[in-house]
Amino acid sequence: MNFDLRLPIGLMFSLFGTVLSVYGLMSDAALNKKSLGLNINLDWGLVLLGFGGTMLFFALRARGRHGSNPPPAK
Amino acid sequence: MPHSLTLAGIDYAILVIYFGFVLGIGWALKRYVKGSTDFFLSGRTIPVWVTGLAFLSANLGAQEVIGMAASGAKYGIMTSHFYWVGAIPAMVFLAIFMMPFYYGSKARSVPEYLKLRFDEKTRGFNAMSFAVMTVFSSGISLHALAQLMETLIGWNYNYCIVVSATIVLVYILLGGLTSAIYNEVLQFFMIVLGFAPLVFLALKDVGGWSVLKTKLIPVATAQNFAPGTWSQSWTHMSSALENPMGVSWFGMVFGLGFVMSFGYWCTDFLVVQRAMAANSMSAARRTPLIAAIPKMLFPALVILPGMIAIAIYSAGDHFLPLVDAADPSKGINYNMTMPALLARYYPAGLLGLGFTALMASFMSGMAGNVTAFNTVWTYDIYQSYISPNRPDSHYLRMGKFATLFGIAVSVGCAYLAAQFNNIMDMLQLVFAFVNAPLFATFLLGMFWRRATGHGAFWGLLGGTAAAAVFHGLASSAGNAPSIVKGGWIAQRFLFHSEMGQNFWMAIVAWTACFCLTIGISLATAQNKSDAELTGLVYSLTPKPKSENEPWYKQPVTVGILVLLATIVLNLLFW
């Protein structure tokens, strides 16, 4: 089946990561009272971005390697 | 009703993005569904890391996230037995010993395996009870979700039911089992990445693991248990009186570890179906093993937060809600442990992620049940008894109709659960009667060629009856005898807890089924020839060869490593 699940996973978590880190950068420090003073939105947003990016990297690399001809099914 | 969570715009944005991806995956998979095997079995084309994570995620329903955090608070680290004694050994056993027969027999479902191995009546019994069980479980999941959303955010119960049921319906209709499996993987990452920062923040707040252990001492002593009861998993198990679960090591190891866990992980089509969708025998066998690795670490994600919550609570910070605000003597509403932690530590933004993860856990449980239901219904009931010998396209249409029908019945069950709490307890009890003996049937079927169709069928019925009779004779401390709680025939056995009662009921049912099946099999003639049993019974099946594979692709090697790691975990937290 020519459907690589890493692509939607990568896209979704990159998107979540971006949204959270931008929100974390823009929001004021009072928001972080709950999270023990940590800017958890920014920190975790970057983690998600890293995870999403890794997934995307592998998905796109596999796609680039096989181009429009997927490998024959085993 | 007090609302304990307030969602901001950004939280809703995350929720909407997530459901956009869920539906998008269904849409993208639509063009691959051409025949009934694509719809029900994913055409056996799914890569192994995907089936592995889906195997884990299909079981990662509401019970796991909400229930395990609740048990972590209520019983402490002993809850980890559900993983390190229960799930992991059963998953390894499934991978090494049972998967070759499920995958190799080309059966399309667990009931169909029973037909090939035993006879039609054994299959019919299993298919019917399983079909009823799955729609009710999915209904209970749906009800729990809507009820939680109503309590937490004040959403309308009816809207919650309709919207969640519709989302699950749409993505299963579009892409069938593949869509359910792919979404389960998405849900897996959502749940892990949505709750991981919660564990981090809570652990940081309480002061780390060693401080947590000290803070759990008053939790135990206040209930008259030894100081280490909440942070030592095995030390306090020599008798049922020493621990809050009210079980001894024997009842736990044999009842939970052997009968209940092996029964669930090795015979429940809901999970086995994920492994059957793998693209090769080797991949099918590695599916439960790949699932076992993250499963081993799940106690840190779901049990640890509950333990931290109760430590903070008992130190005087009463952030966990009570069952009844007007009557504090009824105690803490443990089921709210996870939501209360989310509300306590997550600011807007991350709260959206955590909340979406919570919703995702309910939906993965529901979708797993629905896809198992539509397969068993279409292949094992409809094609076998109602309308055989139709073209494939007919069964594909029936499968889609069964999805619709299954979800409609689930919605009905959700409302039934909302109306009559006892009916649901009652049904879960009946399922327990049916499920407990099942593992004995499979064990004998796969490893003893002499087991016959009559032996299997009457053994199963006898085991189920034995469970019911034992339940009628047993009751547990603090519960008056009743149909649901037990002791409705006479109060012959008294247990320290309901959990102990359930574990022993499983032991009795399993033993009865095991002995009856052997006895009746010896008294009846074998109804299958050796040729028919090849590929279905251990001694008549050539062993799968995997010598040419690297070590990490050999099920036996990986299985042994997984078991060793589990032993280490048990010893670390002994």
Side-chain angles (χ1 to χ4, degrees):
Chain A
M1 191 183 307
N2 186 17
F3 181 88
D4 192 344
L5 185 57
R6 289 174 296 191
L7 196 66
I9 293 177
L11 280 176
M12 188 177 85
F13 283 102
S14 306
L15 193 57
F16 283 158
T18 314
V19 169
L20 281 185
S21 17
V22 169
Y23 188 74
L25 278 176
M26 292 190 345
S27 57
D28 59 73
L31 187 74
N32 301 324
K33 223 179 77 191
K34 275 183 171 179
S35 50
L36 319 170
L38 289 173
N39 191 340
I40 195 83
N41 278 329
L42 177 61
D43 297 350
W44 198 249
L46 292 176
V47 173
L48 293 183
L49 203 55
F51 172 75
T54 313
M55 281 285 181
L56 273 183
F57 170 76
F58 284 109
L60 294 176
R61 199 181 64 166
R63 179 175 274 209
R65 192 181 292 161
H66 305 307
S68 50
N69 298 314
K74 279 180 195 159
Chain B
M1 195 67 81
H3 307 150
S4 45
L5 281 185
T6 319
L7 295 187
I10 181 161
D11 302 320
Y12 283 107
I14 289 177
L15 194 67
V16 170
I17 294 174
Y18 176 73
F19 285 116
F21 271 92
V22 165
L23 294 175
I25 287 180
W27 182 254
L29 289 170
K30 190 174 158 244
R31 61 203 166 102
Y32 296 110
V33 181
K34 298 197 178 76
S36 77
T37 46
D38 299 323
F39 190 75
F40 295 117
L41 304 170
S42 303
R44 296 193 162 190
T45 53
I46 299 192
V48 67
W49 69 276
V50 174
T51 52
L53 294 181
F55 184 91
L56 185 59
S57 191
N59 158 264
L60 196 61
Q63 304 91 322
E64 187 103 358
V65 177
I66 299 277
M68 286 296 159
S71 300
K74 211 170 164 183
Y75 308 122
I77 201 169
M78 281 181 71
T79 311
S80 66
H81 292 318
F82 282 93
Y83 293 79
W84 299 338
V85 177
I88 306 289
M91 288 158 90
V92 172
F93 186 83
L94 171 67
I96 294 179
F97 293 106
M98 295 180 71
M99 216 52 228
F101 307 113
Y102 281 136
Y103 197 86
S105 68
K106 299 270 183 264
R108 297 168 300 181
S109 65
V110 166
E112 193 164 85
Y113 172 84
L114 286 177
K115 181 201 150 148
L116 296 172
R117 172 63 187 86
F118 294 115
D119 57 10
E120 196 61 63
K121 59 182 181 298
T122 313
R123 178 236 219 137
F125 180 65
N126 183 244
M128 301 284 183
S129 54
F130 184 78
V132 176
M133 201 159 74
T134 46
V135 283
F136 275 96
S137 306
S138 122
I140 293 171
S141 231
L142 195 57
H143 165 66
L145 170 72
Q147 198 181 36
L148 187 70
M149 297 302 127
E150 191 180 36
T151 324
L152 280 183
I153 333 182
W155 284 352
N156 180 295
Y157 181 89
N158 300 320
Y159 288 157
C160 286
I161 296 259
V162 172
V163 171
S164 335
T166 310
I167 291 174
V168 174
L169 175 73
V170 169
Y171 75 70
I172 297 180
L173 273 187
L174 284 170
L177 179 65
T178 315
S179 180
I181 285 181
Y182 280 15
N183 271 308
E184 278 156 8
V185 176
L186 201 67
Q187 282 151 357
F188 168 81
F189 286 115
M190 197 64 207
I191 291 164
V192 171
L193 295 170
F195 290 124
L198 183 70
V199 181
F200 171 74
L201 288 172
L203 200 58
K204 188 172 152 63
D205 189 27
V206 82
W209 173 248
S210 48
V211 181
L212 174 64
K213 279 201 282 191
T214 343
K215 288 192 174 170
L216 283 169
I217 293 174
V219 178
T221 49
Q223 297 179 46
N224 296 322
F225 291 115
T229 314
W230 256 253
S231 56
Q232 295 169 317
S233 61
W234 285 93
T235 314
H236 308 281
M237 294 210 66
S238 46
S239 113
L241 285 171
E242 285 176 23
N243 60 68
M245 273 191 185
V247 290
S248 67
W249 68 270
F250 182 81
M252 198 279 296
V253 170
F254 200 48
L256 169 70
F258 184 62
V259 179
M260 286 168 74
S261 296
F262 279 73
Y264 175 76
W265 290 100
C266 300
T267 71
D268 197 307
F269 184 52
L270 168 65
V271 286
V272 175
Q273 186 179 30
R274 270 73 199 153
M276 285 168 129
N279 56 15
S280 68
M281 169 68 94
S282 154
R285 295 183 73 195
R286 276 179 290 137
T287 293
L289 297 173
I290 287 176
I293 295 164
K295 183 86 184 171
M296 223 175 338
L297 305 173
F298 260 57
L301 197 69
V302 292
I303 300 176
L304 184 59
M307 292 164 60
I308 298 172
I310 199 68
I312 295 175
Y313 183 88
S314 76
D317 186 346
H318 289 192
F319 74 107
L320 293 174
L322 296 167
V323 174
D324 185 353
D327 180 10
S329 67
K330 285 188 181 164
I332 304 167
N333 184 356
Y334 287 105
N335 281 334
M336 295 303 275
T337 306
M338 201 48 123
L341 284 168
L342 287 180
R344 183 184 169 95
Y345 292 112
Y346 276 11
L350 199 57
L351 184 61
L353 194 73
F355 180 77
T356 307
L358 201 59
M359 285 196 78
S361 76
F362 281 92
M363 288 203 180
S364 59
M366 184 179 169
N369 277 304
V370 172
T371 46
F373 168 80
N374 65 22
T375 310
V376 167
W377 165 263
T378 307
Y379 283 153
D380 291 299
I381 298 176
Y382 184 77
Q383 190 179 26
S384 305
Y385 302 114
I386 301 174
S387 186
N389 305 322
R390 294 294 202 90
D392 186 67
S393 60
H394 178 81
Y395 296 115
L396 175 61
R397 263 204 315 282
M398 177 39 83
K400 292 189 171 178
F401 173 74
T403 308
L404 186 68
F405 171 77
I407 289 185
V409 178
S410 303
V411 170
C413 295
Y415 281 100
L416 201 66
Q419 289 291 312
F420 309 99
N421 228 331
N422 277 339
I423 289 194
M424 286 299 139
D425 291 345
M426 191 71 216
L427 277 165
Q428 278 176 323
L429 192 64
V430 175
F431 302 156
F433 294 164
V434 177
N435 262 354
L438 205 55
F439 183 58
T441 308
F442 278 89
L443 202 59
L444 289 170
M446 286 181 174
F447 298 99
W448 190 46
R449 64 204 269 197
R450 186 64 184 79
T452 65
H454 289 306
F457 180 74
W458 294 108
L460 259 186
L461 273 191
T464 304
V469 170
F470 180 79
H471 183 258
L473 292 172
S475 53
S476 56
N479 288 322
S482 71
I483 295 274
V484 173
K485 299 289 183 191
W488 39 272
I489 301 174
Q491 280 181 277
R492 195 57 55 86
F493 312 104
L494 184 68
F495 287 92
H496 299 295
S497 67
E498 273 184 72
M499 207 181 275
Q501 184 186 358
N502 289 338
F503 290 176
W504 278 97
M505 187 180 86
I507 295 173
V508 168
W510 185 88
T511 313
C513 178
F514 191 77
C515 298
L516 275 173
T517 306
I518 292 179
I520 298 169
S521 292
L522 290 175
T524 50
Q526 177 56 279
N527 57 328
K528 301 264 179 181
S529 68
D530 278 4
E532 283 176 301
L533 293 181
T534 305
L536 302 171
V537 179
Y538 191 79
S539 58
L540 299 171
T541 305
K543 305 292 163 285
K545 287 194 199 71
S546 54
E547 286 89 40
N548 307 329
E549 306 262 25
W551 66 269
Y552 58 86
K553 283 191 170 178
Q554 294 187 13
V556 179
T557 317
V558 180
I560 292 172
L561 288 177
V562 166
L563 284 182
L564 285 176
T566 313
I567 292 173
V568 170
L569 283 170
N570 274 303
L571 293 175
L572 272 180
F573 296 96
W574 190 274

